[in-house]
Amino acid sequence: MHVAPSDWNVREGYRTYEYPLNQRAATLWYHDHRMDFSAPQVWRGLAGFFLIRDDEEDALPLPRGQRDIPLMLCDRAFDADGTFRYPALDPTCTGTPGVHDAFMDRVLGDVQLVNGAPWPVLEVSSTRYRLRLLNASNARRYQLALEVESGGRGTFTRIGSDAGLLATPQRLANLTLAPAERMDVIVDFSAYPVGSQVTLVNTLGERSMRQVMRFRIVRREKDDSTVPARLPRMETLSSNDAVAVRRFDFRRTEGGDDQQMWTINGRPFGTATTLASPRLGTVERWRFSSDFHHPVHIHLAHFQVLARGGRPPRASDAGWKDTVDVRPYEVVDVLARFDGYRGRYMIHCHNLEHEDMAMMANFQIV
């Protein structure tokens, strides 16, 4: 359901919000979440990192300081004068929301940005670096790999997910990131000689969009960091913890006047409609199904991926998460814990064009 500008009730006022940070250390982010216009607002740059640290993480001998680097990955398109190009029905974001029909599935750019810079090069020392990877694209998915100039592939040591550190590191050849997902990884550049280059690539990208950024090893330095075999203890949920099972189907649906819309359980978003009412402090099993690539994001609740298509989750699904990549015609089961505060929250697709076209739903924690 869209709210027409003629029905808006605009008032000038001020509020003070206080957000107690009582969660584990994590790589978080924030972005504009204006109803119906999130996609063009984020496309224009209204997003940023929000890093939470704690004593437990600080006690670990991980890379820190200038070797702890947040990397925001996103694709964008530009006009000849350098302004953002986005196929909005109303570029002013004050009238009709949404995009032209040809872009209903997704909006992809032809320029790869990292922290706002196109295809950057970073000079590094022959030491370990912690890279906090965030997919801040509207719709583009990444399958990241390290290509070494002399040939072959490098590896990532994954230490964290959306909502904090894993219990044990994972050694991975590639990383898949849907929009809004994050991964903390360690890359050891001491494996390469000074003067060499390592390129971070997106193997799902084509032509210029395959290259993401390049690392140039320019000097040797002493490195006192390590990656412990054990990271902070992490509780693992079991299907026996779930007190309820709920199903959410993410799908394109035909509405009135042959209008196509993105829906959850066949319904477009309505401010007065609630699809679930979990109890505070409980765990529920939520089952997501889809007809397209839908990165499903749950506000407030962190979860663990239990299964994909009835099979064990992928290695990259490990850890506490707040977003999960649901692939076309796939069923993903997660165990969500509803801690924090009672109230109304949202579940939505983090393909931002889908979100703006009503693929959202309310749930009420009671």
Side-chain angles (χ1 to χ4, degrees), residues 68-273:
D68 180 354
I69 304 176
L71 296 176
M72 179 186 287
L73 315 182
C74 62
D75 60 332
R76 296 292 185 262
F78 299 89
D79 283 323
D81 62 358
T83 57
F84 287 111
R85 185 170 73 247
Y86 184 82
L89 293 176
D90 179 4
T92 69
C93 296
T94 59
T96 303
V99 293
H100 295 283
D101 288 347
F103 298 91
M104 186 173 179
D105 284 349
R106 59 183 177 264
V107 175
L108 300 178
D110 57 3
V111 176
Q112 174 62 50
L113 301 180
V114 181
N115 292 352
W119 297 289
V121 176
L122 178 65
E123 294 186 346
V124 298
S125 59
S126 58
T127 56
R128 296 180 188 86
Y129 280 72
R130 178 179 182 176
L131 306 180
R132 300 174 183 256
L133 300 166
L134 157 66
N135 182 354
S137 300
N138 282 35
R140 183 176 294 276
R141 298 170 70 252
Y142 293 86
Q143 188 172 72
L144 299 172
L146 293 169
E147 291 189 347
V148 184
E149 183 181 34
S150 57
R153 292 278 181 91
T155 59
F156 304 95
T157 301
R158 180 173 177 248
I159 61 170
S161 187
D162 301 334
L165 294 175
L166 307 179
T168 57
Q170 297 175 321
R171 198 166 176 81
L172 302 174
N174 55 66
L175 308 168
T176 300
L177 281 172
E181 285 190 301
R182 286 90 67 204
M183 286 192 186
D184 278 12
V185 300
I186 305 295
V187 175
D188 188 354
F189 291 108
S190 68
Y192 315 108
V194 172
S196 61
Q197 297 185 117
V198 177
T199 303
L200 183 67
V201 298
N202 177 18
T203 60
L204 300 178
E206 299 178 350
R207 297 182 291 278
S208 63
M209 294 306 292
R210 189 176 187 278
Q211 180 169 313
V212 177
M213 68 176 296
R214 183 166 296 163
F215 300 95
R216 184 176 296 139
I217 297 93
V218 297
R219 62 188 177 277
R220 295 189 180 279
E221 282 186 0
K222 182 180 178 182
D223 188 2
D224 56 1
S225 70
T226 61
V227 181
R230 300 288 301 178
L231 296 167
R233 182 179 177 275
M234 188 190 79
E235 179 186 5
T236 300
L237 299 180
S238 159
S239 57
N240 294 329
D241 297 321
V243 300
V245 178
R246 303 184 194 269
R247 292 169 174 81
F248 301 89
D249 184 55
F250 291 73
R251 193 168 301 273
R252 184 189 290 203
T253 303
E254 186 172 311
D257 300 324
D258 295 326
Q259 180 186 9
Q260 297 289 315
M261 63 188 77
W262 293 105
T263 64
I264 302 177
N265 291 352
R267 302 179 180 180
F269 177 70
T271 55
T273 302

Side-chain angles (χ1 to χ4, degrees), residues 237-239 241-248 283-289 296-298 301-309 313 317 319-326 331-338 347:
L237 299 180
S238 159
S239 57
D241 297 321
V243 300
V245 178
R246 303 184 194 269
R247 292 169 174 81
F248 301 89
V283 173
E284 294 191 354
R285 181 172 181 163
W286 284 17
R287 173 166 289 180
F288 306 133
S289 54
V296 177
H297 175 56
I298 306 177
H302 293 158
F303 58 80
Q304 294 175 7
V305 181
L306 180 65
R308 283 186 177 272
D317 289 324
W320 285 102
K321 295 179 61 59
D322 58 36
T323 306
V324 64
D325 184 19
V326 184
V331 177
V332 176
D333 288 84
V334 306
L335 295 170
R337 168 169 283 164
F338 300 94
I347 176 174

Side-chain angles (χ1 to χ4, degrees), residues 15-35:
R15 288 187 180 182
T16 299
Y17 293 92
E18 295 184 4
Y19 298 98
L21 299 179
N22 54 7
Q23 68 178 78
R24 306 168 66 218
T27 299
L28 307 181
W29 70 303
Y30 59 90
H31 64 81
D32 186 89
H33 216 305
R34 181 183 164 203
M35 183 172 169

